[in-house]
Amino acid sequence: MNFLHRSKSQNFFLILMMGALNTITPISIDMYLPAFPKIAADMHTSIGNIALSVSSYFLGFALGQILYGPLLDRYGRKKPLCVGLIFYIMATMGCAVSDSIEWLWVLRFIQALSGCVASVAAMAMVIDFFPADKNARIISFLILILGVSPLVAPTAGSLIVSAWNWRAVFIVLAVIALIILIVVFIFLPEAHLPDLTVSLMPNPIITGFKNILLNRQFYVYALSGTFSFAGLFVYVAGSPGLFLGEFHQSPTAYGGIFAALSVGFIGSSQLNHIFTRKYRNEEIFTFVLIVQLVCGIIFLIASWNNWLGITATFCFLFVELSCAGLTYPNAAALALSSFKKNAGSASALLGFIQIGIGGLISAGLGALPVRISLSVALIMATSSAIAFVVLMMRKNPELKFYN
């Protein structure tokens, strides 16, 4: 049943389900952030080492994109989705009983590797269920639902840790995933019939991904959108050290700051509904990226000179995250607009690029021999500058990666 023949309530349910699937990754990251000091104390390690479990999650999530793209195209959306969620639940329970930082790194990697099927399937189903001219708006709706996570998850995680312990956070995550799995299995319609012509052999898969990557529309907006969006990964990985460490905030205050900053990301993504009625996706993306770059440069200069306290740092981060909320849906819609038959693989490759690069960039936070606030500002400004240079490839045909 296509978009025109479904009722508004059916379309709303589909969007809600895709949004629920899309929340699995952010709540898996955000909910345990306030527990970093307690996890570090229990495992006799530093908060920086605990933060590496965020980076290992990003790495597993990125690699999982490549795994699930072809599977979702060959076997349909529901079967790989249900299998991936089952393994996610098992890995999450493993995190709850882990007793060393090394095991936490490994289990977080597996948790992400299995659970990332949810976001890949959700993005592919946007292409399956809705026409191309609706995609950016639907992605913005997904971000609205997705945005409830950073508003609620850190605060919920803080309450869970206070009432029980940090291990209970992972038990709650497993229960949430189990509920989503049951609803998906019973109620979600199959969005894409199995296509047995899609090969699972390495060479055809690599060739398929190569053909997608060679699409100029795809690689320009995938890469420029990724480096623009990387500021969010840097913020997530760096915020515990920034607010709990450098600015000495309590876990409860940190949860409030995290929630308040997420308002910028969520609010701007919803403004996209208004902007897309008047402007093209490319126009919105270009303008906002320029704003993000200028803000990033000022943020870096001010941080370099140690001019910023917690309030000013909060304001700069608010603007950076607000820009990411606008660049992400427009870049994703533009990158995927050329694909229909292999939407699952295109969505997977887009996710791999976004999460892989974002995860590697965020892992660089601890490698810089400067205070965390300066590291965050430096990486945000640099990634925005790279995003702008890549976008110029679209504006100037003489600049390109491929002949």
Side-chain angles (χ1 to χ4, degrees):
M1 185 180 294
N2 62 32
F3 174 75
L4 295 176
H5 293 92
R6 289 193 302 266
S7 66
K8 289 185 178 180
S9 61
Q10 288 174 318
N11 284 324
F12 178 76
F13 170 76
L14 291 173
I15 294 171
L16 191 63
M17 279 306 308
M18 289 185 287
L21 290 168
N22 228 19
T23 61
I24 289 177
T25 287
I27 64 173
S28 297
I29 297 170
D30 300 339
M31 192 175 284
Y32 88 131
L33 294 178
F36 273 26
K38 289 194 175 183
I39 301 175
D42 281 358
M43 294 187 174
H44 307 290
T45 187
S46 66
I47 291 180
N49 278 335
I50 301 300
L52 286 176
S53 66
V54 177
S55 297
S56 71
Y57 190 97
F58 287 153
L59 179 60
F61 190 90
L63 293 176
Q65 308 281 318
I66 299 299
L67 171 67
Y68 287 112
L71 290 174
L72 288 165
D73 285 335
R74 181 179 175 91
Y75 295 111
R77 311 309 189 203
K78 285 189 68 170
K79 187 180 292 185
L81 181 56
C82 291
V83 172
L85 287 175
I86 290 170
F87 279 97
Y88 168 89
I89 293 168
M90 294 168 60
T92 304
M93 293 304 298
C95 290
V97 299
S98 61
D99 56 4
S100 71
I101 184 60
E102 292 80 11
W103 269 114
L104 185 62
W105 291 340
V106 171
L107 287 166
R108 287 285 286 170
F109 175 85
I110 297 172
Q111 184 190 31
L113 188 68
S114 52
C116 76
V117 65
S119 59
V120 179
M123 190 65 73
M125 285 190 286
V126 172
I127 310 299
D128 294 333
F129 285 126
F130 298 95
D133 61 346
K134 303 288 184 182
N135 288 351
R137 295 184 187 180
I138 300 302
I139 294 171
S140 294
F141 274 124
L142 295 187
I143 291 176
L144 175 61
I145 301 172
L146 178 95
V148 174
S149 164
L151 285 172
V152 176
T155 303
S158 188
L159 292 173
I160 292 169
V161 172
S162 299
W164 293 287
N165 53 51
W166 64 266
R167 299 180 190 278
V169 172
F170 290 102
I171 295 174
V172 170
L173 288 172
V175 170
I176 292 172
L178 178 61
I179 293 171
I180 293 175
L181 171 62
I182 293 170
V183 174
V184 165
F185 182 77
I186 297 174
F187 298 108
L188 186 68
E190 178 55 77
H192 177 83
L193 293 177
D195 185 355
L196 298 181
T197 64
V198 175
S199 175
L200 298 181
M201 299 301 291
N203 285 341
I205 290 175
I206 293 171
T207 300
F209 282 131
K210 180 182 177 181
N211 290 336
I212 294 170
L213 190 58
L214 286 172
N215 182 296
R216 186 182 185 85
Q217 175 89 0
F218 178 85
Y219 74 72
V220 166
Y221 287 107
L223 289 174
S224 58
T226 290
F227 281 101
S228 170
F229 196 59
L232 179 65
F233 294 94
V234 173
Y235 160 69
V236 169
S239 61
L242 179 62
F243 293 111
L244 294 172
E246 187 170 327
F247 289 121
H248 307 293
Q249 300 297 296
S250 69
T252 302
Y254 168 73
I257 292 170
F258 200 95
L261 283 170
S262 70
V263 170
F265 180 77
I266 302 165
S268 64
S269 69
Q270 298 318 296
L271 286 176
N272 201 46
H273 296 297
I274 299 173
F275 295 153
T276 52
R277 294 190 182 103
K278 298 181 179 180
Y279 307 102
R280 294 182 294 114
N281 297 125
E282 183 181 0
E283 292 173 327
I284 299 169
F285 178 74
T286 302
F287 177 79
V288 176
L289 181 57
I290 293 172
V291 173
Q292 186 182 44
L293 175 59
V294 172
C295 175
I297 292 172
I298 297 173
F299 185 21
L300 174 59
I301 293 171
S303 183
W304 184 276
N305 290 282
N306 204 21
W307 294 338
L308 305 178
I310 187 171
T311 302
T313 300
F314 175 93
C315 292
F316 276 110
L317 289 174
F318 188 90
V319 175
E320 286 286 326
L321 295 178
S322 297
C323 289
L326 279 165
T327 57
Y328 172 73
N330 289 289
L334 287 163
L336 296 175
S337 61
S338 301
F339 305 96
K340 187 66 178 179
K341 180 179 183 296
N342 53 350
S345 295
S347 172
L349 185 57
L350 175 63
F352 172 76
I353 292 170
Q354 288 177 331
I355 307 299
I357 292 177
L360 290 173
I361 289 174
S362 68
L365 277 171
L368 295 175
V370 295
R371 66 185 188 279
I372 188 66
S373 56
L374 180 55
S375 294
V376 169
L378 176 61
I379 295 176
M380 283 186 169
T382 302
S383 61
S384 297
I386 294 172
F388 184 75
V389 171
V390 173
L391 182 62
M392 290 303 98
M393 296 177 185
R394 183 68 174 171
K395 303 292 184 180
N396 185 356
E398 298 301 318
L399 296 173
K400 56 184 178 179
F401 288 140
Y402 304 102
N403 295 320

